[in-house]
Amino acid sequence: MTDTAAEAPPCVGPASRVALHELSMRRDRDEWIVGRMATRTFVALPPAGALAVRLLEEGLSVARTQEQLRADTGEEFDIADFVEDLTALGFVARIDDRPLPDPEPPRASLPWLRPRHVRFALHPVLPVTVAVLLAAALVVLLLRPGLLPGYRDLLWSPHGSVVLLSGAAAGWTLLLAHELAHLVTARAAGVPGRVRLGTRLQFLVMQTDISGIELAPRRHRLTAYLSGIALNLTVASALVPVLAVTDPASAAHRLSAAALLLALMPLPFQFMVFTRTDVYFVLQDLTGCRDLYGDGLAYARYRYRRVLRVLRALRPGARAAAGEDDPSARLPRHERRAVRVYSVVLVVGTALCLAFMAAVTLPLDIALLTRAVRGLTPGNTPAGYADSAAVLVTLGGVNVLWLVTKWRDHRARRHAKAAARPRP
């Protein structure tokens, strides 16, 4: 017997009984979200599929489950195939007396943090408190508009290297706090999460995987998605009173103004929904879409290939190519409309973002890095050496980290595709 045969799951027959791992379920419109929190694997099932899961959990055999579904719905279901699908998802712990291999679940960040430690993050008073702080800060700024900082407040020190290094340190600290807000809120809902570096187009970002939040109530889901933005707004709001009571010429005032700007600067990025930001997940939840980005990308590619076929058909002597089905046609009507609108935002936003990188960001980075390398040549002043080193450490380090993260994610996707490919 080969190793492959030895590792094959047992055959599922009419008398087979299935033991499932601990699963969670939530109704969402006409479907049920069923998932295993430990592995963060989830699937949308029709009501009959959710009922089949419950019957299997009760210990009914495959044949009895099929009979019960026929009695309840009047339709025939192949429960043996359904069990095989559940097995592929990692939902099945044992078939009859044979346990199935269970892969190591994804590691969670801060595993010692328990839901009881951070239950306050889901208390209804917390968003009210954030709103009150924000409203108070806006009132102060309306009464004293001169307190509103400008971009020059970022240059709080005459030494460029100090400004650059301190700005990078403060920015990454705020970014980490932003992601920890997502993690803490999700953990309060009993969802394990993981903070890691990632890329969004040309941007190096921190991102928190809280995919288990799909099984939580809507208020908890939206709170988890918006908690990072709420933290940035809370930090900025808390700094406004500091600006109001400190001397504009003091170091405390200058540092507070710079920190306030650094807290607000990431917020416009959150509205770039074509890069799957926090606002994207709110939008996806409110529209009831399962995979707004994936379906939008598939529809955009379909439209692109359709335009190509039309252009090729206009050539003299060209044969009409066979068309393909619209991938959005299989979606429910409310999802179809949202996906088609989002596909336009996705294409236009991505094109503008990459064009800005090619026209502005990339030439600027190259110019700054070239100038920094030249600044390290003999004959420069100590301050010049420090500025050049600061540029190389911050700007060069971010670009190197982006490349390493991009390559890591590319390898992970390639290995995942290889693992999913059927073997002979």
Side-chain angles (χ1 to χ4, degrees), residues 18-23 52-54 56-57 86 91-94:
V18 177
L20 301 178
H21 289 287
E22 182 180 356
L23 301 178
V53 169
R54 292 195 188 96
L56 292 170
E57 286 180 326
L86 294 180
F91 290 176
V92 179
R94 190 176 65 255

Side-chain angles (χ1 to χ4, degrees), residues 216-239:
R218 168 164 282 184
R219 184 178 72 83
H220 292 178
R221 299 197 305 271
L222 295 180
T223 302
Y225 297 146
L226 294 172
S227 57
I229 294 176
L231 183 133
N232 284 71
L233 291 175
T234 300
V235 171
S237 300
L239 289 170

Side-chain angles (χ1 to χ4, degrees), residues 87-101:
T87 303
L89 290 168
F91 290 176
V92 179
R94 190 176 65 255
I95 297 178
D96 293 325
D97 294 328
R98 181 173 172 181
L100 300 184

Side-chain angles (χ1 to χ4, degrees), residues 182-205:
H182 293 303
L183 181 70
V184 165
T185 310
R187 191 66 54 83
V191 177
R194 184 183 179 189
V195 180
R196 61 197 292 270
L197 286 175
T199 58
R200 292 288 185 266
L201 295 177
Q202 70 265 39
F203 305 106
L204 177 68
V205 298

Side-chain angles (χ1 to χ4, degrees), residues 366-417:
I366 292 173
L368 289 174
L369 290 172
T370 302
R371 186 184 303 174
V373 171
R374 290 174 180 170
L376 295 177
T377 56
N380 203 348
T381 63
Y385 285 130
D387 286 343
S388 297
V391 171
L392 288 176
V393 169
T394 55
L395 186 57
V398 167
N399 282 281
V400 169
L401 200 54
W402 183 91
L403 289 171
V404 171
T405 304
K406 192 72 173 179
W407 175 247
R408 181 206 65 193
D409 292 345
H410 172 73
R411 289 186 61 188
R413 286 193 296 268
R414 187 173 61 184
H415 290 162
K417 288 181 181 179

